[in-house]
Amino acid sequence: MSRDLVAGEKVLLTDSKKRRHLITLVEGGAFHSHAGILSHDDLIGHDEGVSARTTLGQRFVVLRPTLSDFVLEMPRGAQVIYPKDLGPILMLADVFPGAKVLESGIGSGALTTTLLRAVGPTGHVTGYEIREDFAKRAQLNVEAFLGPDQPLSVEVRDIYQGIDAIAIDRIVLDLPEPWQVVPHAEKALRPGGILVSYLPTIGQVGRLRESLDNSAFGMAESLEILQRTWHVEGQSVRPDHRMVAHTGFLTHARLLVPPES
Ligand code: SAH
């Protein structure tokens, strides 16, 4: 079913050099750039996927942003987790529709938005974030992409001090000292529940693994995701010269019931 573009929604404009601009359509609005002016009224009422011409004759492709586009273009407070790692996090944490997920910290809300989409309307995401400004920014970003009334509760608090919720299905962490969360996660997760942690340095991973080894968690594994894009143009088909060599390491583990001795 095709749905025409309407005022109030976000669209991504991409020029011939792949430069991207995320804009919100407004009746009577105009997008100004070095390439000329594009009237929003020329886009409203049309299908996404159209090419629109500016006053200087430059073309922009007009599309609704995907979640991945949105994460790359959205306003940031804290550094976000990129799509390269967001997808694998959903698999490693085995996030399913209806899941009860605890996330900390929520930063700019890139992962929060991704988790909410995966748990769906019957699931729930609770976010613990220590900085009030980031908590607000994240909620604005979530609403900008998913709309209001999401199954999300954000609490401004320090997760190192403890977790109130119980019988949680999944815990996903993006903060500097996740080993401080392990003892709380043991009480908050249900048996078989999964903990996933995103960490920038390997020293942190070692410290987390040590604390997981001394806990009721098992099946721990750490990995990194490398993504290499390719240049494909006529006869020239080869890896791109540049790639993002490092973002973070992912560690996942499951909460087990200790064997009776
Ligand atoms: N994953 C987020 C980015 C998180 S950045 C995204 O994709 O957008 C890390 C966040 O953890 C920061 O916002 C920081 O304020 C928060 N944080 C750090 N220590 C914390 C703690 N002890 N409790 C709760 N939040 C914490």
Side-chain angles (χ1 to χ4, degrees), residues 71 74 78-82 86 103-112 128-131 134-135 138 157-161 173-177 181 198:
V71 164
M74 72 187 201
Q79 176 66 262
V80 300
I81 297 182
Y82 285 98
L86 290 171
E103 186 204 354
S104 188
I106 63 170
S108 304
L111 178 57
T112 318
Y128 285 7
E129 169 56 55
I130 204 163
R131 282 187 52 170
F134 286 171
R157 56 187 282 178
D158 178 355
I159 195 169
Y160 300 159
Q161 303 302 316
L173 303 174
D174 177 8
L175 35 67
E177 301 189 1
V181 182
Y198 173 92

PDB file of all heavy atoms in Angstrom, residues 71 74 78-82 86 103-112 128-131 134-135 138 157-161 173-177 181 198, ligand 1:
ATOM      1  N   VAL A  71      19.280   6.871  12.841  1.00  0.00           N
ATOM      2  CA  VAL A  71      20.349   6.788  13.852  1.00  0.00           C
ATOM      3  C   VAL A  71      21.568   7.609  13.407  1.00  0.00           C
ATOM      4  O   VAL A  71      22.201   8.292  14.210  1.00  0.00           O
ATOM      5  CB  VAL A  71      20.737   5.308  14.094  1.00  0.00           C
ATOM      6  CG1 VAL A  71      22.063   5.190  14.818  1.00  0.00           C
ATOM      7  CG2 VAL A  71      19.636   4.595  14.863  1.00  0.00           C
ATOM      8  N   MET A  74      20.249  11.562  13.452  1.00  0.00           N
ATOM      9  CA  MET A  74      19.488  12.183  14.553  1.00  0.00           C
ATOM     10  C   MET A  74      20.379  13.042  15.449  1.00  0.00           C
ATOM     11  O   MET A  74      21.593  12.844  15.503  1.00  0.00           O
ATOM     12  CB  MET A  74      18.810  11.090  15.385  1.00  0.00           C
ATOM     13  CG  MET A  74      19.771  10.306  16.228  1.00  0.00           C
ATOM     14  SD  MET A  74      18.935   8.928  17.021  1.00  0.00           S
ATOM     15  CE  MET A  74      20.078   8.644  18.355  1.00  0.00           C
ATOM     16  N   ALA A  78      24.901  11.852  23.767  1.00  0.00           N
ATOM     17  CA  ALA A  78      26.034  10.935  23.889  1.00  0.00           C
ATOM     18  C   ALA A  78      26.298  10.264  22.546  1.00  0.00           C
ATOM     19  O   ALA A  78      25.447  10.259  21.663  1.00  0.00           O
ATOM     20  CB  ALA A  78      25.703   9.881  24.933  1.00  0.00           C
ATOM     21  N   GLN A  79      27.476   9.708  22.397  1.00  0.00           N
ATOM     22  CA  GLN A  79      27.863   8.909  21.228  1.00  0.00           C
ATOM     23  C   GLN A  79      26.883   7.741  21.069  1.00  0.00           C
ATOM     24  O   GLN A  79      26.579   7.056  22.038  1.00  0.00           O
ATOM     25  CB  GLN A  79      29.279   8.386  21.470  1.00  0.00           C
ATOM     26  CG  GLN A  79      29.805   7.460  20.411  1.00  0.00           C
ATOM     27  CD  GLN A  79      30.008   8.160  19.084  1.00  0.00           C
ATOM     28  OE1 GLN A  79      29.154   8.071  18.200  1.00  0.00           O
ATOM     29  NE2 GLN A  79      31.116   8.864  18.935  1.00  0.00           N
ATOM     30  N   VAL A  80      26.410   7.520  19.858  1.00  0.00           N
ATOM     31  CA  VAL A  80      25.417   6.461  19.656  1.00  0.00           C
ATOM     32  C   VAL A  80      26.086   5.135  19.282  1.00  0.00           C
ATOM     33  O   VAL A  80      27.226   5.104  18.853  1.00  0.00           O
ATOM     34  CB  VAL A  80      24.403   6.811  18.532  1.00  0.00           C
ATOM     35  CG1 VAL A  80      23.657   8.067  18.864  1.00  0.00           C
ATOM     36  CG2 VAL A  80      25.080   6.914  17.167  1.00  0.00           C
ATOM     37  N   ILE A  81      25.334   4.050  19.433  1.00  0.00           N
ATOM     38  CA  ILE A  81      25.750   2.768  18.866  1.00  0.00           C
ATOM     39  C   ILE A  81      25.290   2.766  17.406  1.00  0.00           C
ATOM     40  O   ILE A  81      24.146   3.126  17.105  1.00  0.00           O
ATOM     41  CB  ILE A  81      25.130   1.584  19.633  1.00  0.00           C
ATOM     42  CG1 ILE A  81      25.625   1.593  21.083  1.00  0.00           C
ATOM     43  CG2 ILE A  81      25.492   0.259  18.955  1.00  0.00           C
ATOM     44  CD1 ILE A  81      25.118   0.430  21.926  1.00  0.00           C
ATOM     45  N   TYR A  82      26.176   2.378  16.490  1.00  0.00           N
ATOM     46  CA  TYR A  82      25.872   2.440  15.067  1.00  0.00           C
ATOM     47  C   TYR A  82      25.092   1.211  14.598  1.00  0.00           C
ATOM     48  O   TYR A  82      25.145   0.158  15.226  1.00  0.00           O
ATOM     49  CB  TYR A  82      27.178   2.587  14.271  1.00  0.00           C
ATOM     50  CG  TYR A  82      27.700   3.991  14.386  1.00  0.00           C
ATOM     51  CD1 TYR A  82      28.687   4.312  15.305  1.00  0.00           C
ATOM     52  CD2 TYR A  82      27.147   5.016  13.621  1.00  0.00           C
ATOM     53  CE1 TYR A  82      29.127   5.619  15.451  1.00  0.00           C
ATOM     54  CE2 TYR A  82      27.580   6.313  13.747  1.00  0.00           C
ATOM     55  CZ  TYR A  82      28.569   6.621  14.666  1.00  0.00           C
ATOM     56  OH  TYR A  82      28.978   7.910  14.807  1.00  0.00           O
ATOM     57  N   LEU A  86      23.982  -2.367  16.150  1.00  0.00           N
ATOM     58  CA  LEU A  86      22.598  -2.442  16.650  1.00  0.00           C
ATOM     59  C   LEU A  86      21.930  -3.741  16.200  1.00  0.00           C
ATOM     60  O   LEU A  86      21.246  -4.398  16.993  1.00  0.00           O
ATOM     61  CB  LEU A  86      21.783  -1.232  16.156  1.00  0.00           C
ATOM     62  CG  LEU A  86      22.159   0.120  16.778  1.00  0.00           C
ATOM     63  CD1 LEU A  86      21.436   1.253  16.041  1.00  0.00           C
ATOM     64  CD2 LEU A  86      21.823   0.155  18.267  1.00  0.00           C
ATOM     65  N   GLU A 103      17.489  -1.339  29.712  1.00  0.00           N
ATOM     66  CA  GLU A 103      18.629  -0.773  28.995  1.00  0.00           C
ATOM     67  C   GLU A 103      19.293   0.311  29.836  1.00  0.00           C
ATOM     68  O   GLU A 103      18.617   1.115  30.466  1.00  0.00           O
ATOM     69  CB  GLU A 103      18.138  -0.156  27.667  1.00  0.00           C
ATOM     70  CG  GLU A 103      19.285   0.325  26.799  1.00  0.00           C
ATOM     71  CD  GLU A 103      18.890   1.415  25.813  1.00  0.00           C
ATOM     72  OE1 GLU A 103      17.695   1.761  25.695  1.00  0.00           O
ATOM     73  OE2 GLU A 103      19.795   1.932  25.165  1.00  0.00           O
ATOM     74  N   SER A 104      20.643   0.350  29.841  1.00  0.00           N
ATOM     75  CA  SER A 104      21.345   1.431  30.547  1.00  0.00           C
ATOM     76  C   SER A 104      22.741   1.595  29.973  1.00  0.00           C
ATOM     77  O   SER A 104      23.378   0.602  29.635  1.00  0.00           O
ATOM     78  CB  SER A 104      21.446   1.100  32.040  1.00  0.00           C
ATOM     79  OG  SER A 104      21.959   2.202  32.742  1.00  0.00           O
ATOM     80  N   GLY A 105      23.283   2.883  29.845  1.00  0.00           N
ATOM     81  CA  GLY A 105      22.532   4.115  29.814  1.00  0.00           C
ATOM     82  C   GLY A 105      21.905   4.279  28.442  1.00  0.00           C
ATOM     83  O   GLY A 105      22.336   3.687  27.482  1.00  0.00           O
ATOM     84  N   ILE A 106      20.942   5.178  28.380  1.00  0.00           N
ATOM     85  CA  ILE A 106      20.241   5.257  27.095  1.00  0.00           C
ATOM     86  C   ILE A 106      20.820   6.331  26.175  1.00  0.00           C
ATOM     87  O   ILE A 106      20.515   6.357  24.979  1.00  0.00           O
ATOM     88  CB  ILE A 106      18.716   5.413  27.273  1.00  0.00           C
ATOM     89  CG1 ILE A 106      18.361   6.706  27.993  1.00  0.00           C
ATOM     90  CG2 ILE A 106      18.143   4.205  27.992  1.00  0.00           C
ATOM     91  CD1 ILE A 106      16.863   6.969  27.962  1.00  0.00           C
ATOM     92  N   GLY A 107      21.661   7.211  26.733  1.00  0.00           N
ATOM     93  CA  GLY A 107      22.426   8.155  25.896  1.00  0.00           C
ATOM     94  C   GLY A 107      21.561   8.952  24.951  1.00  0.00           C
ATOM     95  O   GLY A 107      20.731   9.748  25.374  1.00  0.00           O
ATOM     96  N   SER A 108      21.740   8.740  23.654  1.00  0.00           N
ATOM     97  CA  SER A 108      20.962   9.479  22.655  1.00  0.00           C
ATOM     98  C   SER A 108      19.720   8.725  22.205  1.00  0.00           C
ATOM     99  O   SER A 108      18.931   9.240  21.422  1.00  0.00           O
ATOM    100  CB  SER A 108      21.831   9.759  21.434  1.00  0.00           C
ATOM    101  OG  SER A 108      22.997  10.435  21.812  1.00  0.00           O
ATOM    102  N   GLY A 109      19.582   7.481  22.633  1.00  0.00           N
ATOM    103  CA  GLY A 109      18.354   6.735  22.333  1.00  0.00           C
ATOM    104  C   GLY A 109      18.384   5.931  21.047  1.00  0.00           C
ATOM    105  O   GLY A 109      17.339   5.444  20.603  1.00  0.00           O
ATOM    106  N   ALA A 110      19.573   5.766  20.444  1.00  0.00           N
ATOM    107  CA  ALA A 110      19.641   4.973  19.212  1.00  0.00           C
ATOM    108  C   ALA A 110      19.274   3.516  19.513  1.00  0.00           C
ATOM    109  O   ALA A 110      18.424   2.915  18.835  1.00  0.00           O
ATOM    110  CB  ALA A 110      21.045   5.043  18.608  1.00  0.00           C
ATOM    111  N   LEU A 111      19.900   2.958  20.545  1.00  0.00           N
ATOM    112  CA  LEU A 111      19.599   1.574  20.913  1.00  0.00           C
ATOM    113  C   LEU A 111      18.177   1.461  21.466  1.00  0.00           C
ATOM    114  O   LEU A 111      17.477   0.488  21.179  1.00  0.00           O
ATOM    115  CB  LEU A 111      20.635   1.081  21.940  1.00  0.00           C
ATOM    116  CG  LEU A 111      20.462  -0.332  22.471  1.00  0.00           C
ATOM    117  CD1 LEU A 111      20.452  -1.362  21.349  1.00  0.00           C
ATOM    118  CD2 LEU A 111      21.592  -0.662  23.458  1.00  0.00           C
ATOM    119  N   THR A 112      17.745   2.458  22.220  1.00  0.00           N
ATOM    120  CA  THR A 112      16.377   2.437  22.763  1.00  0.00           C
ATOM    121  C   THR A 112      15.352   2.316  21.644  1.00  0.00           C
ATOM    122  O   THR A 112      14.414   1.515  21.719  1.00  0.00           O
ATOM    123  CB  THR A 112      16.087   3.742  23.557  1.00  0.00           C
ATOM    124  OG1 THR A 112      17.228   4.071  24.335  1.00  0.00           O
ATOM    125  CG2 THR A 112      14.865   3.602  24.440  1.00  0.00           C
ATOM    126  N   TYR A 128      17.493   3.116  32.264  1.00  0.00           N
ATOM    127  CA  TYR A 128      18.124   3.832  33.376  1.00  0.00           C
ATOM    128  C   TYR A 128      19.220   4.710  32.789  1.00  0.00           C
ATOM    129  O   TYR A 128      20.118   4.197  32.110  1.00  0.00           O
ATOM    130  CB  TYR A 128      18.787   2.871  34.362  1.00  0.00           C
ATOM    131  CG  TYR A 128      17.877   2.096  35.277  1.00  0.00           C
ATOM    132  CD1 TYR A 128      16.496   2.119  35.147  1.00  0.00           C
ATOM    133  CD2 TYR A 128      18.425   1.323  36.304  1.00  0.00           C
ATOM    134  CE1 TYR A 128      15.691   1.384  35.999  1.00  0.00           C
ATOM    135  CE2 TYR A 128      17.627   0.590  37.156  1.00  0.00           C
ATOM    136  CZ  TYR A 128      16.259   0.616  37.001  1.00  0.00           C
ATOM    137  OH  TYR A 128      15.468  -0.118  37.842  1.00  0.00           O
ATOM    138  N   GLU A 129      19.138   6.019  33.047  1.00  0.00           N
ATOM    139  CA  GLU A 129      20.144   6.956  32.520  1.00  0.00           C
ATOM    140  C   GLU A 129      20.502   7.931  33.640  1.00  0.00           C
ATOM    141  O   GLU A 129      19.630   8.526  34.249  1.00  0.00           O
ATOM    142  CB  GLU A 129      19.568   7.689  31.289  1.00  0.00           C
ATOM    143  CG  GLU A 129      20.375   8.869  30.791  1.00  0.00           C
ATOM    144  CD  GLU A 129      21.830   8.546  30.445  1.00  0.00           C
ATOM    145  OE1 GLU A 129      22.079   7.649  29.650  1.00  0.00           O
ATOM    146  OE2 GLU A 129      22.720   9.221  31.025  1.00  0.00           O
ATOM    147  N   ILE A 130      21.797   8.093  33.851  1.00  0.00           N
ATOM    148  CA  ILE A 130      22.252   8.911  34.980  1.00  0.00           C
ATOM    149  C   ILE A 130      22.125  10.405  34.695  1.00  0.00           C
ATOM    150  O   ILE A 130      21.971  11.202  35.607  1.00  0.00           O
ATOM    151  CB  ILE A 130      23.705   8.512  35.357  1.00  0.00           C
ATOM    152  CG1 ILE A 130      24.012   8.853  36.804  1.00  0.00           C
ATOM    153  CG2 ILE A 130      24.722   9.093  34.412  1.00  0.00           C
ATOM    154  CD1 ILE A 130      25.237   8.126  37.340  1.00  0.00           C
ATOM    155  N   ARG A 131      22.173  10.797  33.436  1.00  0.00           N
ATOM    156  CA  ARG A 131      22.114  12.239  33.099  1.00  0.00           C
ATOM    157  C   ARG A 131      20.738  12.617  32.597  1.00  0.00           C
ATOM    158  O   ARG A 131      20.262  12.108  31.579  1.00  0.00           O
ATOM    159  CB  ARG A 131      23.172  12.554  32.036  1.00  0.00           C
ATOM    160  CG  ARG A 131      24.558  12.649  32.654  1.00  0.00           C
ATOM    161  CD  ARG A 131      25.556  13.124  31.672  1.00  0.00           C
ATOM    162  NE  ARG A 131      25.185  14.356  30.975  1.00  0.00           N
ATOM    163  CZ  ARG A 131      26.027  15.027  30.205  1.00  0.00           C
ATOM    164  NH1 ARG A 131      27.258  14.599  30.035  1.00  0.00           N
ATOM    165  NH2 ARG A 131      25.623  16.124  29.589  1.00  0.00           N
ATOM    166  N   PHE A 134      20.502  13.810  28.928  1.00  0.00           N
ATOM    167  CA  PHE A 134      20.535  12.713  27.954  1.00  0.00           C
ATOM    168  C   PHE A 134      19.203  11.953  27.952  1.00  0.00           C
ATOM    169  O   PHE A 134      18.714  11.546  26.894  1.00  0.00           O
ATOM    170  CB  PHE A 134      21.681  11.747  28.241  1.00  0.00           C
ATOM    171  CG  PHE A 134      23.042  12.286  27.884  1.00  0.00           C
ATOM    172  CD1 PHE A 134      24.195  11.608  28.251  1.00  0.00           C
ATOM    173  CD2 PHE A 134      23.191  13.466  27.166  1.00  0.00           C
ATOM    174  CE1 PHE A 134      25.464  12.092  27.920  1.00  0.00           C
ATOM    175  CE2 PHE A 134      24.444  13.969  26.831  1.00  0.00           C
ATOM    176  CZ  PHE A 134      25.589  13.268  27.219  1.00  0.00           C
ATOM    177  N   ALA A 135      18.644  11.749  29.148  1.00  0.00           N
ATOM    178  CA  ALA A 135      17.362  11.030  29.240  1.00  0.00           C
ATOM    179  C   ALA A 135      16.299  11.754  28.406  1.00  0.00           C
ATOM    180  O   ALA A 135      15.519  11.122  27.679  1.00  0.00           O
ATOM    181  CB  ALA A 135      16.921  10.924  30.691  1.00  0.00           C
ATOM    182  N   ALA A 138      17.120  11.482  24.583  1.00  0.00           N
ATOM    183  CA  ALA A 138      16.801  10.141  24.085  1.00  0.00           C
ATOM    184  C   ALA A 138      15.298  10.000  23.857  1.00  0.00           C
ATOM    185  O   ALA A 138      14.859   9.476  22.831  1.00  0.00           O
ATOM    186  CB  ALA A 138      17.287   9.084  25.073  1.00  0.00           C
ATOM    187  N   ARG A 157      18.653   7.623  36.935  1.00  0.00           N
ATOM    188  CA  ARG A 157      19.280   6.970  38.085  1.00  0.00           C
ATOM    189  C   ARG A 157      20.543   6.223  37.677  1.00  0.00           C
ATOM    190  O   ARG A 157      20.775   5.986  36.489  1.00  0.00           O
ATOM    191  CB  ARG A 157      18.292   6.021  38.749  1.00  0.00           C
ATOM    192  CG  ARG A 157      17.724   4.986  37.803  1.00  0.00           C
ATOM    193  CD  ARG A 157      16.633   4.197  38.452  1.00  0.00           C
ATOM    194  NE  ARG A 157      17.183   3.172  39.347  1.00  0.00           N
ATOM    195  CZ  ARG A 157      16.412   2.363  40.073  1.00  0.00           C
ATOM    196  NH1 ARG A 157      15.090   2.486  40.037  1.00  0.00           N
ATOM    197  NH2 ARG A 157      16.943   1.455  40.839  1.00  0.00           N
ATOM    198  N   ASP A 158      21.310   5.865  38.689  1.00  0.00           N
ATOM    199  CA  ASP A 158      22.587   5.188  38.501  1.00  0.00           C
ATOM    200  C   ASP A 158      22.367   3.680  38.621  1.00  0.00           C
ATOM    201  O   ASP A 158      22.041   3.178  39.702  1.00  0.00           O
ATOM    202  CB  ASP A 158      23.547   5.694  39.584  1.00  0.00           C
ATOM    203  CG  ASP A 158      24.909   5.026  39.533  1.00  0.00           C
ATOM    204  OD1 ASP A 158      25.087   4.093  38.723  1.00  0.00           O
ATOM    205  OD2 ASP A 158      25.788   5.449  40.306  1.00  0.00           O
ATOM    206  N   ILE A 159      22.571   2.958  37.551  1.00  0.00           N
ATOM    207  CA  ILE A 159      22.293   1.510  37.585  1.00  0.00           C
ATOM    208  C   ILE A 159      23.298   0.760  38.466  1.00  0.00           C
ATOM    209  O   ILE A 159      23.013  -0.338  38.927  1.00  0.00           O
ATOM    210  CB  ILE A 159      22.247   0.915  36.152  1.00  0.00           C
ATOM    211  CG1 ILE A 159      21.586  -0.475  36.186  1.00  0.00           C
ATOM    212  CG2 ILE A 159      23.623   0.864  35.533  1.00  0.00           C
ATOM    213  CD1 ILE A 159      21.236  -1.075  34.866  1.00  0.00           C
ATOM    214  N   TYR A 160      24.463   1.377  38.727  1.00  0.00           N
ATOM    215  CA  TYR A 160      25.445   0.711  39.601  1.00  0.00           C
ATOM    216  C   TYR A 160      24.880   0.554  41.018  1.00  0.00           C
ATOM    217  O   TYR A 160      25.347  -0.270  41.785  1.00  0.00           O
ATOM    218  CB  TYR A 160      26.759   1.495  39.667  1.00  0.00           C
ATOM    219  CG  TYR A 160      27.460   1.682  38.332  1.00  0.00           C
ATOM    220  CD1 TYR A 160      28.389   2.707  38.156  1.00  0.00           C
ATOM    221  CD2 TYR A 160      27.219   0.828  37.257  1.00  0.00           C
ATOM    222  CE1 TYR A 160      29.048   2.886  36.941  1.00  0.00           C
ATOM    223  CE2 TYR A 160      27.871   1.006  36.041  1.00  0.00           C
ATOM    224  CZ  TYR A 160      28.781   2.041  35.890  1.00  0.00           C
ATOM    225  OH  TYR A 160      29.422   2.228  34.686  1.00  0.00           O
ATOM    226  N   GLN A 161      23.876   1.375  41.368  1.00  0.00           N
ATOM    227  CA  GLN A 161      23.283   1.320  42.714  1.00  0.00           C
ATOM    228  C   GLN A 161      22.213   0.231  42.843  1.00  0.00           C
ATOM    229  O   GLN A 161      21.729  -0.029  43.936  1.00  0.00           O
ATOM    230  CB  GLN A 161      22.648   2.677  43.083  1.00  0.00           C
ATOM    231  CG  GLN A 161      23.601   3.859  43.023  1.00  0.00           C
ATOM    232  CD  GLN A 161      24.790   3.665  43.942  1.00  0.00           C
ATOM    233  OE1 GLN A 161      24.641   3.230  45.083  1.00  0.00           O
ATOM    234  NE2 GLN A 161      25.985   3.959  43.435  1.00  0.00           N
ATOM    235  N   LEU A 173      23.485  -3.260  28.055  1.00  0.00           N
ATOM    236  CA  LEU A 173      24.272  -2.209  28.705  1.00  0.00           C
ATOM    237  C   LEU A 173      25.217  -1.519  27.731  1.00  0.00           C
ATOM    238  O   LEU A 173      25.893  -2.181  26.945  1.00  0.00           O
ATOM    239  CB  LEU A 173      25.100  -2.815  29.843  1.00  0.00           C
ATOM    240  CG  LEU A 173      24.318  -3.557  30.934  1.00  0.00           C
ATOM    241  CD1 LEU A 173      25.290  -4.220  31.903  1.00  0.00           C
ATOM    242  CD2 LEU A 173      23.372  -2.602  31.667  1.00  0.00           C
ATOM    243  N   ASP A 174      25.245  -0.198  27.812  1.00  0.00           N
ATOM    244  CA  ASP A 174      26.257   0.603  27.112  1.00  0.00           C
ATOM    245  C   ASP A 174      26.723   1.639  28.107  1.00  0.00           C
ATOM    246  O   ASP A 174      26.245   2.775  28.107  1.00  0.00           O
ATOM    247  CB  ASP A 174      25.640   1.250  25.856  1.00  0.00           C
ATOM    248  CG  ASP A 174      26.633   2.158  25.132  1.00  0.00           C
ATOM    249  OD1 ASP A 174      27.822   2.163  25.516  1.00  0.00           O
ATOM    250  OD2 ASP A 174      26.218   2.864  24.192  1.00  0.00           O
ATOM    251  N   LEU A 175      27.596   1.231  29.003  1.00  0.00           N
ATOM    252  CA  LEU A 175      28.156   2.140  30.001  1.00  0.00           C
ATOM    253  C   LEU A 175      29.537   1.627  30.407  1.00  0.00           C
ATOM    254  O   LEU A 175      29.898   0.484  30.120  1.00  0.00           O
ATOM    255  CB  LEU A 175      27.228   2.313  31.204  1.00  0.00           C
ATOM    256  CG  LEU A 175      26.390   1.136  31.689  1.00  0.00           C
ATOM    257  CD1 LEU A 175      27.247   0.060  32.243  1.00  0.00           C
ATOM    258  CD2 LEU A 175      25.361   1.592  32.681  1.00  0.00           C
ATOM    259  N   PRO A 176      30.348   2.493  31.068  1.00  0.00           N
ATOM    260  CA  PRO A 176      31.769   2.179  31.232  1.00  0.00           C
ATOM    261  C   PRO A 176      32.100   0.997  32.152  1.00  0.00           C
ATOM    262  O   PRO A 176      33.100   0.328  31.950  1.00  0.00           O
ATOM    263  CB  PRO A 176      32.363   3.473  31.814  1.00  0.00           C
ATOM    264  CG  PRO A 176      31.341   4.538  31.611  1.00  0.00           C
ATOM    265  CD  PRO A 176      30.015   3.868  31.505  1.00  0.00           C
ATOM    266  N   GLU A 177      31.299   0.737  33.197  1.00  0.00           N
ATOM    267  CA  GLU A 177      31.688  -0.295  34.159  1.00  0.00           C
ATOM    268  C   GLU A 177      30.582  -1.336  34.353  1.00  0.00           C
ATOM    269  O   GLU A 177      30.007  -1.449  35.432  1.00  0.00           O
ATOM    270  CB  GLU A 177      32.067   0.364  35.493  1.00  0.00           C
ATOM    271  CG  GLU A 177      33.218   1.340  35.339  1.00  0.00           C
ATOM    272  CD  GLU A 177      33.778   1.849  36.660  1.00  0.00           C
ATOM    273  OE1 GLU A 177      33.289   1.433  37.737  1.00  0.00           O
ATOM    274  OE2 GLU A 177      34.702   2.666  36.593  1.00  0.00           O
ATOM    275  N   VAL A 181      27.253  -3.884  37.335  1.00  0.00           N
ATOM    276  CA  VAL A 181      25.834  -4.199  37.154  1.00  0.00           C
ATOM    277  C   VAL A 181      25.579  -5.703  37.327  1.00  0.00           C
ATOM    278  O   VAL A 181      24.453  -6.123  37.611  1.00  0.00           O
ATOM    279  CB  VAL A 181      25.347  -3.722  35.752  1.00  0.00           C
ATOM    280  CG1 VAL A 181      23.866  -3.991  35.556  1.00  0.00           C
ATOM    281  CG2 VAL A 181      25.655  -2.237  35.542  1.00  0.00           C
ATOM    282  N   TYR A 198      27.979  -3.608  25.533  1.00  0.00           N
ATOM    283  CA  TYR A 198      28.770  -2.998  24.457  1.00  0.00           C
ATOM    284  C   TYR A 198      29.884  -2.202  25.123  1.00  0.00           C
ATOM    285  O   TYR A 198      29.605  -1.343  25.965  1.00  0.00           O
ATOM    286  CB  TYR A 198      27.847  -2.087  23.641  1.00  0.00           C
ATOM    287  CG  TYR A 198      28.504  -1.236  22.592  1.00  0.00           C
ATOM    288  CD1 TYR A 198      28.632  -1.682  21.281  1.00  0.00           C
ATOM    289  CD2 TYR A 198      28.975   0.036  22.908  1.00  0.00           C
ATOM    290  CE1 TYR A 198      29.219  -0.890  20.308  1.00  0.00           C
ATOM    291  CE2 TYR A 198      29.568   0.843  21.941  1.00  0.00           C
ATOM    292  CZ  TYR A 198      29.681   0.370  20.644  1.00  0.00           C
ATOM    293  OH  TYR A 198      30.258   1.167  19.686  1.00  0.00           O
TER     294      TYR A 198
HETATM  295  N1  SAH B   1      23.523   3.309  23.629  1.00  0.00           N
HETATM  296  C1  SAH B   1      23.239   4.724  23.571  1.00  0.00           C
HETATM  297  C2  SAH B   1      24.424   5.562  23.973  1.00  0.00           C
HETATM  298  C3  SAH B   1      24.800   5.377  25.427  1.00  0.00           C
HETATM  299  S1  SAH B   1      26.190   6.390  25.894  1.00  0.00           S
HETATM  300  C4  SAH B   1      22.760   5.070  22.157  1.00  0.00           C
HETATM  301  O1  SAH B   1      22.801   4.200  21.283  1.00  0.00           O
HETATM  302  O2  SAH B   1      22.307   6.192  21.919  1.00  0.00           O
HETATM  303  C5  SAH B   1      26.404   5.878  27.557  1.00  0.00           C
HETATM  304  C6  SAH B   1      25.377   6.469  28.492  1.00  0.00           C
HETATM  305  O3  SAH B   1      25.471   5.824  29.750  1.00  0.00           O
HETATM  306  C7  SAH B   1      25.579   7.962  28.758  1.00  0.00           C
HETATM  307  O4  SAH B   1      24.410   8.649  28.430  1.00  0.00           O
HETATM  308  C8  SAH B   1      25.874   8.036  30.248  1.00  0.00           C
HETATM  309  O5  SAH B   1      25.311   9.191  30.864  1.00  0.00           O
HETATM  310  C9  SAH B   1      25.175   6.769  30.757  1.00  0.00           C
HETATM  311  N2  SAH B   1      25.705   6.221  32.016  1.00  0.00           N
HETATM  312  C10 SAH B   1      26.996   6.113  32.381  1.00  0.00           C
HETATM  313  N3  SAH B   1      27.096   5.526  33.607  1.00  0.00           N
HETATM  314  C11 SAH B   1      25.813   5.267  34.014  1.00  0.00           C
HETATM  315  C12 SAH B   1      25.255   4.676  35.204  1.00  0.00           C
HETATM  316  N4  SAH B   1      26.042   4.250  36.189  1.00  0.00           N
HETATM  317  N5  SAH B   1      23.903   4.540  35.284  1.00  0.00           N
HETATM  318  C13 SAH B   1      23.098   4.972  34.274  1.00  0.00           C
HETATM  319  N6  SAH B   1      23.582   5.559  33.139  1.00  0.00           N
HETATM  320  C14 SAH B   1      24.932   5.702  33.009  1.00  0.00           C
END
